[in-house]
């Protein structure tokens, strides 16, 4: 009898278990999105490739073969047939100036204007479409492309821009053309003396022609008002749309204005933030974030703060990156130039104090350092912080990390510093770097392979608006190292080239790790945010030179398609 009772109980329990699993199978939620027939490179070492992915809400719930994900299909599931195209995790740009980038998209482009008439036409057109009173900026004009090659004067554009101030730069950044409206707002007249280090170009009567050289440019630049809230919002939206079209699903905004962060918050609340943002305000304002007590990477999947951005030195282009040895082309003067430490580094103890303060508050430190001694000095300071506060998962970063001293690769790795690098700069600076710093130092420039060999983690980015935001161009640069002047088709210091897989990893998992988000994004894995990008070519199998011609077909953020290049989508 007792035996029977037990048997009956067992039967009841087994039935209950069976029934429960039946119910579960029936009530398993259907996916919102299936992407099938894809060539998926997951950047997940546990499962590097797959054919299909299922998304529920904003997360990936399954990857595998078409058959594997089929069980997730429901009546309302949207199914996208990828037709064999390559699907990657969305790109995460670890170093951008996002709002300036958005502004730049609205600037007038004059560099390829082939005549002064074309120059005037473009400025006039821009004045017509921009709100009245908005300054027209940008330019990069180059009068050497005109016949005759004469410096433009304000008379050329004044009739087209009576109420629109214009301040457009020559491509070398050493001269601008300002129109009468701009000169008026800046108070520049025939009576204005030339400032030290600058020249107001004048006609035979002594009246300004509108051309302003070097320090004289600042006289007019001072009159340009700071961005209004509406202008900032407009720039952020332009930047977001541009990022979506390029497959950039996360960005790390270096030294934003606080007003930029406020605009992001507003966009987030309106459901219009289509890229995930991590903001790193200046370390000179470290007290603000310390007071709140938020620590690194605080916020939501779409908007985080909790990092600070510091500056160690300048740049190679302006010969202000800080080196142990002088610039080769400036070593023979009385005062050989080794570059400059930034004002934040005078004295160095001031920077150390700020870093200690940031670290004690749990903030992440990202430091711009380009020259070998600039980088080395920051590594010293990072060691000081570790010594003072003990070992911890801090993820110190050096932004750019361009020119390494041979002695510092090991230290870089030992301190677990992340190299946040921008490969496009390599194919740009590669045109002139050797002339400035010589072969030996150039061999440790943008040394991505050496970093990897030492176990240093790389995070990829662009420094947009200093360089283009396009991730395919960045991957092309890291893989080919072919300088923009065409002089190094097989690669400038080719031993530093990365493979496509390594470049993709740096742009996804590498950048996610650099913002403490490697468990949330960076790979196409179940449980992670569904940020993905579908490409027009398989960048793993095409010729490396072709990578830069690859287009982004679709971009997904949190499972939502935010960019679709297909003709049917463009018609809608
Ligand atoms: Zn930057």
């Amino acid at each position: 009898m007792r035996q029977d009772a037990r048997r009956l109980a067992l039967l009841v329990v087994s039935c209950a278990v069976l029934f429960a699993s039946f119910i579960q199978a029936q009530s398993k939620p259907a996916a919102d999105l299936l992407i099938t027939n894809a060539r998926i490179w997951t950047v997940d070492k546990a499962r590097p490739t797959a054919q299909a992915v299922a998304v529920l809400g904003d997360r990936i719930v399954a990857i595998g073969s078409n058959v594997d994900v089929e069980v997730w299909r429901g009546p309302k599931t949207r199914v996208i047939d990828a037709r064999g195209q390559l699907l990657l995790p969305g790109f995460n740009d670890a170093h951008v100036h996002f709002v300036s980038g958005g502004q730049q998209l609205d600037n007038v482009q004059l560099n390829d204007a082939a005549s002064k008439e074309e120059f005037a036409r473009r400025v006039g057109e821009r004045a017509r479409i921009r709100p009245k009173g908005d300054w027209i900026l940008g330019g990069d004009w180059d009068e050497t492309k005109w016949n005759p090659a004469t410096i433009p004067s304000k008379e050329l554009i004044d009739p087209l821009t009576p109420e629109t101030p214009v301040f457009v730069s020559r491509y070398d950044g050493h001269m601008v053309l300002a129109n009468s409206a701009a000169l008026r707002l800046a108070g520049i007249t025939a009576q204005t003396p030339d400032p030290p280090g600058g020249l107001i170009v004048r006609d035979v009567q002594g009246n300004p022609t509108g051309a302003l050289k070097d320090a004289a440019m600042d006289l007019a630049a001072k009159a340009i008002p700071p961005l209004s809230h509406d202008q900032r919002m407009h720039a952020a939206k332009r930047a977001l749309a541009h990022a979506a079209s390029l497959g950039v699903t996360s960005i790390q905004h270096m030294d934003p204005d606080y007003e930029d962060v406020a605009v992001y918050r507003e966009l987030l609340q309106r459901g219009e933030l289509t890229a995930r943002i991590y903001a790193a305000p200046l370390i000179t304002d470290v007290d603000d974030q310390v007071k709140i007590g938020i620590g690194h990477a605080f916020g939501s999947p779409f908007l985080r703060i909790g990092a600070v951005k510091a500056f160690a030195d300048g740049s190679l282009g302006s010969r202000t990156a800080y080196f142990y040895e002088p610039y080769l082309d400036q070593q023979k003067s009385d005062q050989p130039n080794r570059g400059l430490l930034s004002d934040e580094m005078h004295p160095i103890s001031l920077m150390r104090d700020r870093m200690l303060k940031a670290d004690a508050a749990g903030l992440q430190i990202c430091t711009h350092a380009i020259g070998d001694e600039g980088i080395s000095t920051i590594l010293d300071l990072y060691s000081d912080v570790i010594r003072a506060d003990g070992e911890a998962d801090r993820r110190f970063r050096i932004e750019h990390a361009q020119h390494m001293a041979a002695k510092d690769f090991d230290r870089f790795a030992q301190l677990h510093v992340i190299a946040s690098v921008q490969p496009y700069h390599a194919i740009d600076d590669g045109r002139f770097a050797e002339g400035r710093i010589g072969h030996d130092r150039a061999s440790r420039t943008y040394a991505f392979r050496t970093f990897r060999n030492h176990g240093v983690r790389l995070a990829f980015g662009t420094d947009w608006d200093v360089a283009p935001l396009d991730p395919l161009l960045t991957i092309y640069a890291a893989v080919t190292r072919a300088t923009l002047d065409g002089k190094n088709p097989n690669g400038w210091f080719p031993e530093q080239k990365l493979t496509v897989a390594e470049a993709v990893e740096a742009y996804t998992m590498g950048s996610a790790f650099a913002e403490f988000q490697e468990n949330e994004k960076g790979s196409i894995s179940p449980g992670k945010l569904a940020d993905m990008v579908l490409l027009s070519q398989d960048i793993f199998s095409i010729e490396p030179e072709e990578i830069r011609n690859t287009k982004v077909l679709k971009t997904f953020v949190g499972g939502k398609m935010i960019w679709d290049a297909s003709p049917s989508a463009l018609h809608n």
Side-chain angles (χ1 to χ4, degrees):
M1 181 64 199
R2 272 186 78 181
Q3 193 93 349
D4 283 348
R6 197 174 289 164
R7 221 173 264 152
L8 183 68
L10 204 63
L11 188 68
V12 169
V13 168
S14 333
C15 284
V17 168
L18 263 177
F19 185 69
S21 53
F22 173 74
I23 288 291
Q24 202 181 20
Q26 287 301 296
S27 65
K28 178 164 154 181
D32 295 301
L33 170 70
L34 293 184
I35 302 174
T36 59
N37 295 318
R39 191 186 298 263
I40 304 179
W41 180 255
T42 64
V43 195
D44 181 345
K45 293 200 166 71
R47 179 169 201 162
T49 60
Q51 186 181 29
V53 56
V55 176
L56 177 62
D58 63 350
R59 302 266 168 181
I60 294 160
V61 286
I63 65 161
S65 66
N66 287 345
V67 176
D68 292 337
V69 304
E70 188 57 33
V71 295
W72 288 90
R73 187 198 290 255
K76 290 188 186 138
T77 302
R78 177 178 191 186
V79 181
I80 292 175
D81 181 346
R83 296 177 191 177
Q85 305 284 14
L86 181 67
L87 189 76
L88 296 178
F91 296 110
N92 182 337
D93 193 314
H95 186 123
V96 289
H97 305 285
F98 206 57
V99 170
S100 323
Q103 267 183 285
Q104 191 201 46
L105 294 174
D106 271 336
N107 284 347
V108 65
Q109 310 297 339
L110 301 169
N111 190 262
D112 59 349
S115 64
K116 65 178 190 182
E117 289 76 20
E118 176 63 15
F119 170 100
R121 193 190 64 74
R122 290 190 192 179
V123 171
E125 194 173 274
R126 187 55 54 138
R128 236 184 4 261
I129 59 174
R130 297 291 295 156
K132 206 183 262 183
D134 263 21
W135 284 65
I136 292 181
L137 306 171
D140 290 337
W141 49 271
D142 181 358
E143 83 290 349
T144 65
K145 294 173 178 167
W146 309 344
N147 189 12
T150 47
I151 300 295
S153 68
K154 61 184 178 1
E155 283 73 26
L156 183 63
I157 51 174
D158 271 349
L160 303 164
T161 56
E163 289 167 284
T164 303
V166 177
F167 180 89
V168 286
S169 316
R170 190 170 188 268
Y171 76 96
D172 63 357
H174 289 280
M175 196 187 332
V176 298
L177 177 68
N179 69 347
S180 290
L183 294 175
R184 207 160 46 234
L185 288 166
I188 297 172
T189 66
Q191 281 71 50
T192 308
D194 291 336
L199 180 73
I200 300 170
V201 180
R202 299 164 202 267
D203 62 18
V204 283
Q205 280 91 39
N207 294 311
T209 68
L212 305 169
K213 291 188 179 184
D214 288 310
M217 302 190 296
D218 299 339
L219 297 178
K222 272 189 290 196
I224 302 172
L227 281 184
S228 69
H229 177 77
D230 285 355
Q231 286 169 329
R232 209 177 285 277
M233 178 62 78
H234 176 77
K237 285 181 173 177
R238 290 277 279 148
L240 286 167
H242 189 55
S245 74
L246 296 171
V248 179
T249 56
S250 287
I251 61 118
Q252 301 177 39
H253 188 159
M254 294 294 125
D255 42 84
D257 294 337
Y258 288 152
E259 291 86 346
D260 297 339
V261 182
V263 160
Y264 297 149
R265 182 201 52 101
E266 210 177 312
L267 287 165
L268 173 60
Q269 283 179 331
R270 303 204 309 231
E272 292 174 30
L273 202 56
T274 52
R276 305 183 192 280
I277 298 177
Y278 186 34
L282 290 171
I283 198 169
T284 48
D285 296 326
V286 64
D287 287 341
D288 297 338
Q289 291 195 83
V290 168
K291 269 184 231 159
I292 316 170
I294 48 167
H296 61 71
F298 174 83
S300 76
F302 266 108
L303 183 55
R304 295 178 192 276
I305 51 175
V308 286
K309 166 80 183 300
F311 282 90
D313 60 356
S315 71
L316 182 73
S318 60
R319 294 189 181 79
T320 48
Y322 191 59
F323 285 95
Y324 286 109
E325 301 294 329
Y327 288 86
L328 288 188
D329 51 351
Q330 294 184 335
Q331 62 181 346
K332 297 214 172 76
S333 64
D334 295 342
Q335 288 182 309
N337 178 24
R338 295 198 293 123
L340 292 168
L341 285 175
S342 77
D343 50 0
E344 295 172 22
M345 299 283 278
H346 294 286
I348 287 174
S349 61
L350 175 66
M351 181 65 99
R352 185 184 295 111
D353 290 346
R354 284 182 175 140
M355 285 184 173
L356 285 167
K357 197 182 265 188
D359 189 69
L363 298 167
Q364 187 184 15
I365 303 171
C366 317
T367 308
H368 163 121
I370 290 184
D372 53 17
E373 189 168 358
I375 295 168
S376 213
T377 309
I378 295 304
L379 294 178
D380 292 345
L381 293 179
Y382 284 173
S383 316
D384 293 347
V385 172
I386 295 172
R387 206 168 303 125
D389 292 348
E391 290 286 345
D393 184 11
R394 308 187 153 77
R395 307 195 191 180
F396 284 137
R397 296 166 49 152
I398 289 190
E399 305 300 315
H400 312 306
Q402 267 170 232
H403 311 288
M404 289 285 293
K407 64 181 171 92
D408 277 334
F409 285 104
D410 278 335
R411 204 153 65 109
F412 212 102
Q414 281 154 13
L415 298 171
H416 303 294
V417 178
I418 294 162
S420 171
V421 296
Q422 300 79 35
Y424 180 86
H425 287 336
I427 60 170
D428 192 358
D429 288 12
R431 293 173 298 141
F432 58 81
E434 247 178 293
R436 292 191 184 180
I437 58 175
H439 186 81
D440 177 54
R441 281 185 286 183
S443 72
R444 293 184 302 276
T445 289
Y446 305 104
F448 309 144
R449 171 64 55 203
T450 311
F451 273 130
R452 274 190 67 102
N453 288 348
H454 282 78
V456 172
R457 286 176 188 268
L458 298 175
F460 269 10
T462 59
D463 208 7
W464 188 52
D465 57 333
V466 179
L469 184 64
D470 186 351
L472 277 317
L473 189 54
T474 302
I475 292 173
Y476 161 83
V479 171
T480 68
R481 294 180 71 98
T483 50
L484 295 175
D485 56 11
K487 291 190 179 154
N488 298 277
N490 297 317
W492 183 62
F493 294 95
E495 63 277 12
Q496 297 293 346
K497 287 182 193 175
L498 295 187
T499 65
V500 173
E502 289 165 343
V504 168
E505 184 193 15
Y507 230 130
T508 52
M509 279 303 280
S511 298
F513 185 86
E515 57 160 332
F516 291 89
Q517 297 303 305
E518 72 279 10
N519 294 324
E520 288 287 289
K521 55 193 183 187
S523 67
I524 300 181
S525 315
K528 284 197 175 178
L529 293 162
D531 300 351
M532 299 173 286
V533 53
L534 191 69
L535 302 182
S536 67
Q537 309 193 80
D538 179 359
I539 58 174
F540 291 92
S541 62
I542 57 177
E543 288 298 316
E545 302 78 64
E546 268 296 299
I547 295 173
R548 63 175 157 177
N549 300 323
T550 305
K551 295 282 171 268
V552 172
L553 300 178
K554 295 182 195 322
T555 306
F556 303 88
V557 171
K560 260 172 68 182
M561 185 153 59
I562 57 157
W563 165 254
D564 184 1
S566 66
S568 58
L570 294 176
H571 279 276
N572 292 337

